[in-house]
């Protein structure tokens, strides 16, 4: 089937089945162009919780589709590429988290949404990169187990005196950034604004002008008057930034970094997903019930 026909069929199937296409900012450009909603983890979670659609097709990685299922358990949630995962989410297990909780019985567990549904079920409050600092500040407890990103934990620690016990996980995409390549990029573009994602290592964050979630970057780029932006996050982000701000220039800091899981979803997968209603996210009612509180506290109370 040619590409144009495939796009038309995707649109027809979406309308016929009352499906909504939620797309993360790191997805391939042709998937971003088809999105009903394009966003970061926080924005897409909110939409999943509120949508009237019967089917949610989540173009992102598995933890994002699981989050949508937890927040909308009566909907059919589809992940077009079964193998699209986030290695960082796999770095924390519920069993290891239970052991750490036993060691720090007074601590509150705050989990980054980049975690499995089972880990969320052991969590007090979830957070995303957009609200991690606010969540940590707002919870009543002074001792926090922060799962699974050590770089995001170190970033949050800059804004609070609370004791943060970090999990030793990291994002292999953002952890590749080095202070050396950032310094080289800044020297080559001295007038550019440097914005990075908080999953980057601390010495990279030290050099940044701004630190944002992916949708935070979108908002900032629109409002800021700089002509050139150096961007320290997954390369899919550059497509949206450039498309929405054609008069500005967006450059990757150093070499472009790609998330394999995010890039697995192709037009063919979205088409098949809608046609065959695959691959459906299945979670037990027990896990949904226990994980839901942590996500709802993030969305509604903080
Ligand atoms: P955002 O919530 O900022 O979009 O980040 C998600 C993610 O996976 C970053 O690597
Ligand atoms: Fe996970 Fe990193 Fe990919 Fe985000 S960019 S989905 S944190 S591996």
């Amino acid at each position: 089937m040619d590409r144009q026909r495939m796009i038309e069929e995707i649109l027809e199937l979406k309308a016929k089945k009352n499906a909504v296409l939620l797309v993360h900012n790191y997805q391939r450009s042709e998937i971003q162009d088809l999105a009903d909603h394009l966003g970061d983890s926080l924005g897409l979670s909110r939409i999943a919780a509120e949508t009237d659609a019967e089917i949610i097709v989540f173009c992102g990685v598995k933890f994002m589709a699981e989050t949508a299922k937890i927040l909308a358990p009566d909907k059919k949630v589809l992940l077009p590429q079964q193998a699209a995962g986030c290695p960082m989410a796999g770095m924390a297990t519920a069993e290891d988290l239970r052991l750490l909780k036993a060691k720090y019985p007074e601590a509150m567990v705050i989990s980054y949404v980049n975690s499995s549904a089972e880990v969320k079920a052991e969590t007090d409050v979830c957070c995303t990169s957009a609200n991690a600092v606010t969540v940590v500040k707002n919870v009543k407890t002074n001792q926090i187990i922060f799962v699974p990103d050590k770089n995001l934990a170190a970033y949050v620690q800059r804004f609070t005196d609370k004791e943060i016990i970090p999990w030793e996980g990291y994002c292999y995409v953002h952890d590749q950034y080095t202070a050396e390549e950032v310094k080289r990029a800044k020297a080559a573009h001295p007038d550019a604004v440097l914005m990075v994602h908080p999953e980057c290592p601390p010495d990279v964050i030290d050099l940044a002008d701004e630190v944002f979630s992916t949708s935070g970057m979108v908002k900032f780029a629109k409002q800021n008057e700089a002509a050139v932006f150096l961007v320290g996050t997954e390369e899919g982000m550059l497509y949206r930034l450039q498309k929405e701000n054609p008069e500005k220039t967006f450059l990757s800091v150093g070499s472009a970094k790609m998330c394999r899981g995010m890039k697995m979803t192709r037009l063919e997968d979205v088409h098949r997903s809608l046609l065959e209603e695959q691959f459906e996210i299945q979670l037990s009612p027990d896990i949904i019930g226990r994980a839901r509180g942590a996500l709802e506290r993030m969305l509604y109370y903080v």
Side-chain angles (χ1 to χ4, degrees), residues 152-207:
L152 183 61
Y155 176 67
V156 172
Q157 187 71 81
R158 294 172 189 234
F159 300 91
T160 177
D161 293 333
K162 293 184 180 185
E163 183 193 357
I164 298 183
I165 301 155
W167 199 267
E168 278 301 304
Y170 61 92
C171 163
Y172 79 98
V173 181
H174 291 88
D175 206 55
Q176 285 173 49
Y177 285 100
T178 65
E180 284 64 38
E181 68 179 330
V182 173
K183 282 181 193 158
R184 275 198 300 276
K186 280 178 78 146
H189 303 280
D191 296 329
V193 173
L194 170 64
M195 53 184 183
V196 306
H197 196 276
E199 290 175 8
C200 290
D203 57 350
V204 166
I205 292 194
D206 286 341
L207 295 167

Side-chain angles (χ1 to χ4, degrees), residues 4 21 41-42 80 99 127 143-144 170 173 189 230 256 284 288:
Q4 195 45 42
L21 211 62
S41 307
L42 182 61
L99 292 174
C127 70
Q143 190 185 49
I144 287 147
Y170 61 92
V173 181
H189 303 280
L230 291 170
S284 73
I288 290 179

Side-chain angles (χ1 to χ4, degrees), residues 12-173:
E12 282 162 22
L13 284 162
K14 220 158 50 76
K16 192 169 129 202
K17 298 197 175 197
N18 188 18
V20 67
L21 211 62
L22 305 191
V23 178
H24 187 265
N25 289 321
Y26 294 160
Q27 289 284 290
R28 289 172 182 274
S29 54
E30 63 273 26
I31 309 290
Q32 292 196 27
D33 288 343
L34 275 179
D36 292 307
H37 302 278
L38 179 61
D40 66 358
S41 307
L42 182 61
L44 296 175
S45 301
R46 285 194 195 284
I47 289 159
E50 289 162 10
T51 183
D52 291 330
E54 284 165 57
I55 297 179
I56 297 172
V57 181
F58 211 117
C59 299
V61 288
K62 190 174 174 198
F63 78 78
M64 295 180 173
E66 284 184 348
T67 299
K69 180 70 187 175
I70 294 163
L71 288 167
D74 300 333
K75 314 262 164 175
K76 188 175 263 192
V77 179
L78 304 175
L79 182 67
Q81 247 294 351
Q82 209 168 19
C86 166
M88 176 160 67
M91 289 177 188
T93 65
E95 196 185 345
D96 287 344
L97 179 53
R98 278 193 291 274
L99 292 174
L100 196 62
K101 282 165 70 169
K103 205 167 149 195
Y104 298 100
E106 302 298 319
M108 182 171 257
V109 177
I110 297 184
S111 293
Y112 191 25
V113 284
N114 299 39
S115 54
S116 67
E118 290 73 16
V119 163
K120 288 187 179 78
E122 294 289 335
T123 292
D124 295 303
V125 191
C126 284
C127 70
T128 73
S129 60
N131 63 14
V133 173
T134 313
V135 171
V136 169
K137 279 187 175 170
N138 284 4
V139 295
K140 299 274 182 284
T141 321
N142 277 321
Q143 190 185 49
I144 287 147
I145 295 173
F146 193 93
V147 186
D149 186 3
K150 64 174 180 180
N151 287 337
L152 183 61
Y155 176 67
V156 172
Q157 187 71 81
R158 294 172 189 234
F159 300 91
T160 177
D161 293 333
K162 293 184 180 185
E163 183 193 357
I164 298 183
I165 301 155
W167 199 267
E168 278 301 304
Y170 61 92
C171 163
Y172 79 98
V173 181

